[in-house]
Amino acid sequence: MKAFFLSLLLFTATTQASQALIEFQSPEQQALFKELTQELRCPKCQNQNIADSNAVVAVDMRNKTLELVQQGQDKDQVLDYMKSRYGDFVHYQPPLNKFTLILWLLPALMAFGLVLVLLLRRRAERSGAVTESAEQATPQLEQQLDQLIEQYRRKS
Amino acid sequence: MRKLAFFIPFVLFIGLSVFLFSGLFSDPMERESSVLNKPLPAFTLPDLQQPDNLWTAEKLKGKPYLLNVWGTWCVTCNAELAYLTELREQGVMIIGLYYQQPSDAAFGEVFNLTALQQEVALKLEQQGDPYQWNILDKDRSLIFDLGVTGAPETFLIDAKGIIRYHHIGDINPQVWQQKLAAAYQSLEE
């Protein structure tokens, strides 16, 4: 009886799995397919990749990716195929061009600005222009202070 | 220098607020189509009602027209049928590209052409028929090559078969006046 239930379990498991089973000619192709479906973005459902989405267009893109991978096309070829139809939008890695240049420049500019500020501040500190601590009080300053105190005393 | 540094966070805050605020009113679906100003991709697809009649990109040349991607299953497409019919009456040439959804084999669905033809004919009789004819793209091959993300979408194609405009979403009087009318009229001349 136990064997019967076990075999039943096995049966249901295999029938369910058979739908999503894709056979590849090589582990490389399998890896490429996995990589591509995770990097390609579903054009209909804003923030899902085509591996996660079940929108009709995502399913079609997945099937097309599989077809191209099985034909032996490499990653760039598949990406170009998709981009020529759905635009740069479909790849999560934006290309470097005049519209996206700011994405690369901005972090570098910010880092540069930060270093500049730090350097300027350090230089100012070294020349002693910024801070005037109590230790730096000179007899001359003391004298000035005494004069001021005396002045206000007389007034009151 | 001190005063300037004091204002930097404030300026950054204002900049960020303006950027995020303007984002509230931008359309995330709006983006440059990559098929623009390119010829209609090559295809050979049957007419929906007369499947023996095969359409190709070459056969569609000669007159500017709208290529409207639609399906009876798509609610927005049904809503735009009436206005598209009005445009047809004004002399705009509209060709339908029928978006067939994949049949779900797990639910025993099989593609049935006769049933589809009847369904389409009934729908067009009820809502208005804007189409000169319909091209059936059963496997969504031309639809894929055109970079269609869903239905409805409309392409404006000139007499030489070059794609001049790609509109995602429905066509209503406002969209027609603001986006497509001028482009269509300039192609007509």
Side-chain angles (χ1 to χ4, degrees):
Chain A
M1 197 62 188
K2 202 174 169 188
F4 170 73
F5 278 117
L6 271 178
S7 62
L8 201 68
L9 198 71
L10 201 70
F11 176 73
T12 51
T14 48
T15 46
Q16 270 181 359
S18 66
Q19 278 192 346
L21 222 59
I22 308 171
E23 285 192 22
F24 291 92
Q25 289 152 8
S26 66
E28 288 80 27
Q29 280 193 359
Q30 186 177 6
L32 180 61
F33 177 74
K34 207 174 161 192
E35 191 183 334
L36 277 165
T37 51
Q38 274 166 358
E39 274 182 31
L40 281 166
R41 179 181 190 179
C42 168
K44 184 74 185 170
C45 25
Q46 299 293 306
N47 280 320
Q48 272 187 308
N49 58 24
I50 63 170
D52 285 342
S53 173
N54 264 330
V56 177
V57 63
V59 176
D60 285 348
M61 282 174 75
R62 220 153 52 208
N63 291 337
K64 193 51 118 177
T65 305
L66 179 66
E67 189 187 318
L68 296 178
V69 166
Q70 283 175 338
Q71 276 171 20
Q73 299 207 3
D74 65 24
K75 189 177 171 184
D76 285 339
Q77 282 172 314
V78 179
L79 286 177
D80 284 345
Y81 186 95
M82 294 299 173
K83 282 184 189 174
S84 70
R85 285 158 179 78
Y86 289 97
D88 290 333
F89 180 87
V90 289
H91 194 205
Y92 270 117
Q93 175 82 42
L96 184 58
N97 61 33
K98 62 178 173 178
F99 300 111
T100 59
L101 196 62
I102 191 166
L103 293 177
W104 272 263
L105 282 187
L106 207 60
L109 279 177
M110 283 173 87
F112 179 74
L114 202 68
V115 170
L116 202 72
V117 166
L118 283 177
L119 279 179
L120 280 178
R121 187 181 266 190
R122 184 176 270 189
R123 214 172 67 180
E125 259 171 30
R126 240 181 231 163
S127 66
V130 174
T131 47
E132 282 171 7
S133 65
E135 292 151 40
Q136 280 169 319
T138 56
Q140 206 184 350
L141 272 174
E142 297 265 2
Q143 211 180 349
Q144 264 181 355
L145 196 61
D146 282 344
Q147 269 177 7
L148 274 172
I149 292 170
E150 197 58 35
Q151 217 176 342
Y152 281 101
R153 234 182 222 162
R154 252 182 260 145
K155 263 186 189 171
S156 59
Chain B
M1 186 66 196
R2 269 274 161 92
K3 257 187 183 163
L4 195 73
F6 179 76
F7 279 107
I8 286 176
F10 181 66
V11 170
L12 282 179
F13 169 74
I14 293 292
L16 193 68
S17 304
V18 169
F19 175 72
L20 292 177
F21 190 73
S22 65
L24 288 178
F25 303 98
S26 72
D27 180 4
M29 292 304 283
E30 202 173 293
R31 51 183 171 263
E32 190 82 352
S33 171
S34 34
V35 295
L36 227 54
N37 296 321
K38 287 182 188 162
L40 190 66
F43 68 91
T44 307
L45 290 171
D47 190 286
L48 178 67
Q49 298 296 354
Q50 281 121 33
D52 295 334
N53 190 2
L54 294 178
W55 292 104
T56 61
E58 208 55 43
K59 278 192 193 172
L60 299 181
K61 285 182 186 170
K63 203 174 174 271
Y65 60 95
L66 295 181
L67 187 67
N68 179 241
V69 180
W70 77 292
T72 53
W73 50 269
C74 149
V75 182
T76 317
C77 308
N78 295 342
E80 69 174 357
L81 281 175
Y83 184 65
L84 288 178
T85 308
E86 257 178 60
L87 289 179
R88 181 192 187 173
E89 283 155 8
Q90 290 167 24
V92 179
M93 181 168 165
I94 305 171
I95 298 171
L97 180 60
Y98 195 85
Y99 191 122
Q100 175 66 24
Q101 286 195 304
S103 317
D104 200 333
F107 286 95
E109 285 177 12
V110 216
F111 177 68
N112 183 338
L113 182 62
T114 320
L116 178 66
Q117 285 171 338
Q118 282 167 358
E119 198 187 326
V120 168
L122 183 68
K123 180 67 79 183
L124 296 178
E125 201 185 303
Q126 287 169 343
Q127 312 275 335
D129 184 359
Y131 305 112
Q132 304 291 327
W133 61 81
N134 268 289
I135 301 170
L136 174 62
D137 196 354
K138 183 171 160 283
D139 301 313
R140 297 172 301 288
S141 57
L142 176 58
I143 281 171
F144 194 89
D145 286 341
L146 280 169
V148 171
T149 59
E153 287 190 20
T154 303
F155 296 86
L156 175 61
I157 297 166
D158 72 8
K160 287 175 186 159
I162 311 290
I163 299 163
R164 293 295 180 193
Y165 200 87
H166 179 180
H167 177 71
I168 296 179
D170 69 323
I171 292 188
N172 50 47
Q174 202 185 354
V175 167
W176 176 255
Q177 286 306 329
Q178 285 177 359
K179 294 183 172 168
L180 284 149
Y184 180 77
Q185 268 140 26
S186 72
L187 292 181
E188 277 269 83
E189 283 153 13

